[in-house]
Amino acid sequence: MFEPRTFLDKFFLVVKGLCMGAANKVPGVSGGIVAFVGGFYEEFIYSLQKVNLKAFKLLFNGRFKSFYRYTNGSFLTLLIFGMLVSYFSISKILDYFLEQKELFVWATFFGMILGSIYYISKDFEHWNKKTIPAGIIGLAVGISISFLSPAKENDNLLFIFLCGIISVSGMTLPGLSGSFILILLGNYVLLLVDSVNALYDTFAEMAKGDFSFVKNSERLETLKILAVFTAGSATGLVTLSHLLSYVLKHYKHIATATIIGFITGSLGVVWPWKRTMYKTAADGQLLLDSNGKEIIVNYQRYFPDFGISETWWALFFVLVGIGILLGLDWYGKNRKKAG
């Protein structure tokens, strides 16, 4: 059974949901890291595991309170509520800063990843002949993913459903960025920018009593794509949670070592000093995809110039990111002492 929560715990759970939602939208950052560092990763996985055949039987038999208790409904509801709010608030703010102050945003998240590596590994004392190879494999996979080239955008509904299943791994696997996977699959802009903005605009219009979107075929198509992607994400969450709960129960130390290696390897994805490389024609003109968007080829990483103030500000934000993780660590320790 899960322990009852105080009002403060519930409030912080919504905040953690906000952070998970924002992290899931940033390429290279994993919402699973927020869950891991926030101290609720295992509860998150085990709660999702409770969404099973028994839960659906309770639901279909009208035993809603039993269903709510069995699935740890209070926890999941507050966390998912925070994520949803994030997509329409924090994510919008994040989009703005990624456009205006991209280097500082990446620097902050780079610091948070560094902090998370320290947080996860500082108390891990189980390095042995099984966990060391697991950590090395995780490191190699993380590095390899950071150098893959993105594919072209694909709006086939079956592919969109698969994107949902695959991308949601960022919420369940710390260090594996779901949004970065969507970039590699070519559908980041379609699924996490265009679709979310279309839903936001639709809600805003409906709030004003404007239902003209029902005649907008392009809007309806985008909303259909978002619905299929959401269905895929929900399917992925439930299926992956069952697999991960088994792994955590039987191979916890090996799984943790793999996660530490993978997060370390993924640092290349969030390296702040990089340029986006777009596909160009022989004459140097930018090539566009079928939707009129630039085609990302890869990211060119470079070493910072310490002769300019911008670099030092970026390093300051790296420290801010580390500080955020140390703050979460401090909060977790004090919460345990209070308990």
Side-chain angles (χ1 to χ4, degrees), residues 3-44:
E3 297 179 2
R5 303 176 187 279
T6 65
F7 173 79
L8 190 61
D9 288 337
K10 292 178 180 178
F11 171 76
F12 276 111
L13 192 53
V14 174
V15 172
K16 290 171 183 177
L18 289 169
C19 294
M20 279 192 77
N24 282 329
K25 194 169 183 182
V26 179
V29 184
S30 163
I33 287 181
V34 176
F36 209 103
V37 173
F40 60 95
Y41 178 70
E42 289 191 25
E43 183 176 0
F44 178 55

Side-chain angles (χ1 to χ4, degrees), residues 160 163 182 187-193 195-196 225-226 229:
I160 295 295
C163 283
L182 285 180
N187 277 358
Y188 175 79
V189 174
L190 174 64
L191 298 175
L192 291 188
V193 179
S195 296
V196 173
I225 287 172
L226 181 60
F229 176 67

Side-chain angles (χ1 to χ4, degrees), residues 260-308:
I260 292 171
F262 194 90
I263 295 174
T264 305
S266 69
L267 280 171
V269 179
V270 287
W271 177 253
W273 295 276
K274 59 177 176 285
R275 302 181 187 90
T276 304
M277 307 298 292
Y278 297 101
K279 193 171 185 179
T280 57
D283 59 359
Q285 290 288 326
L286 282 176
L287 293 177
L288 306 178
D289 61 19
S290 58
N291 295 308
K293 295 164 185 166
E294 298 91 347
I295 302 170
I296 298 175
V297 176
N298 216 317
Y299 300 93
Q300 183 184 60
R301 297 165 182 84
Y302 61 92
F303 197 72
D305 180 4
F306 291 98
I308 58 176

Side-chain angles (χ1 to χ4, degrees), residues 176-322:
L176 184 60
S177 169
S179 52
F180 186 69
I181 289 176
L182 285 180
I183 285 180
L184 296 178
L185 295 174
N187 277 358
Y188 175 79
V189 174
L190 174 64
L191 298 175
L192 291 188
V193 179
D194 293 347
S195 296
V196 173
N197 288 341
L199 185 62
Y200 177 84
D201 293 340
T202 300
F203 282 151
E205 290 169 5
M206 289 173 64
K208 298 175 183 177
D210 181 3
F211 294 89
S212 59
F213 70 90
V214 297
K215 298 179 181 179
N216 186 333
S217 58
E218 184 178 347
R219 174 80 65 82
L220 292 176
E221 181 63 25
T222 305
L223 292 175
K224 182 172 71 173
I225 287 172
L226 181 60
V228 173
F229 176 67
T230 303
S233 299
T235 303
L237 266 181
V238 175
T239 53
L240 279 173
S241 65
H242 283 76
L243 174 62
L244 288 171
S245 63
Y246 176 84
V247 171
L248 287 171
K249 185 176 181 180
H250 295 89
Y251 307 99
K252 185 174 182 179
H253 298 324
I254 293 176
T256 303
T258 306
I259 287 169
I260 292 171
F262 194 90
I263 295 174
T264 305
S266 69
L267 280 171
V269 179
V270 287
W271 177 253
W273 295 276
K274 59 177 176 285
R275 302 181 187 90
T276 304
M277 307 298 292
Y278 297 101
K279 193 171 185 179
T280 57
D283 59 359
Q285 290 288 326
L286 282 176
L287 293 177
L288 306 178
D289 61 19
S290 58
N291 295 308
K293 295 164 185 166
E294 298 91 347
I295 302 170
I296 298 175
V297 176
N298 216 317
Y299 300 93
Q300 183 184 60
R301 297 165 182 84
Y302 61 92
F303 197 72
D305 180 4
F306 291 98
I308 58 176
S309 60
E310 185 180 55
T311 297
W312 293 101
W313 275 110
L315 291 174
F316 167 75
F317 281 104
V318 170
L319 294 177
V320 169
I322 294 173

